[in-house]
Amino acid sequence: MESHKILLVVFLVLGLIGAIRSNDPISANDQYFMHVNVNNDGTEDLDDLSIKALIYDLGIVLQTNSFDLNDGDRDGKLIFWDAPNVEPGDYLARVTVSNDNVRRVKHRIITII
């Protein structure tokens, strides 16, 4: 019975983040946004999820408020960032959807022109 619980958690972790869309490339001093689709393909509700985007080279962390996602539900969350005085270039961002029980990570490049 214990192996089924582990298999369920792995399934939830693999299916948690859907498409990630953004408005880049942007110019410095523009507003950047990222839309993250979240899918609960499992059979259990997920409570207190949040989405965080860490832009490594800039040391910036963007985060949504916590939210719940019932089994079988899908949702989309927006993250906004004003990019003041950022040097042009490509910046690697780590996008994480997680709570105390599950975590899923994807990486995206943010381009400032």
Side-chain angles (χ1 to χ4, degrees):
M1 186 68 168
E2 192 66 24
S3 64
H4 294 289
K5 290 180 182 176
I6 293 171
L7 180 61
L8 176 62
V9 169
V10 169
F11 179 72
L12 289 174
V13 169
L14 292 176
L16 198 52
I17 298 180
I20 299 174
R21 294 175 182 84
S22 65
N23 65 328
D24 67 333
I26 63 166
S27 298
N29 299 314
D30 281 349
Q31 187 174 65
Y32 173 81
F33 73 83
M34 178 183 294
H35 183 266
V36 180
N37 288 319
V38 185
N39 308 313
N40 183 353
D41 295 329
T43 58
E44 294 184 19
D45 295 347
L46 298 173
D47 296 327
D48 299 321
L49 290 169
S50 68
I51 300 171
K52 291 182 186 176
L54 166 63
I55 306 171
Y56 289 108
D57 290 339
L58 301 176
I60 294 173
V61 177
L62 310 166
Q63 183 173 345
T64 66
N65 292 328
S66 65
F67 61 96
D68 299 336
L69 200 61
N70 294 330
D71 62 338
D73 281 353
R74 302 178 191 292
D75 200 355
K77 299 294 180 187
L78 283 168
I79 295 175
F80 293 97
W81 171 51
D82 291 319
N85 304 317
V86 176
E87 292 293 321
D90 292 329
Y91 295 92
L92 183 61
R94 174 187 167 120
V95 181
T96 306
V97 177
S98 65
N99 65 10
D100 289 340
N101 300 313
V102 297
R103 172 171 288 128
R104 179 70 168 110
V105 175
K106 286 191 177 182
H107 287 85
R108 288 291 178 264
I109 298 292
I110 297 173
T111 302
I112 308 293
I113 54 175

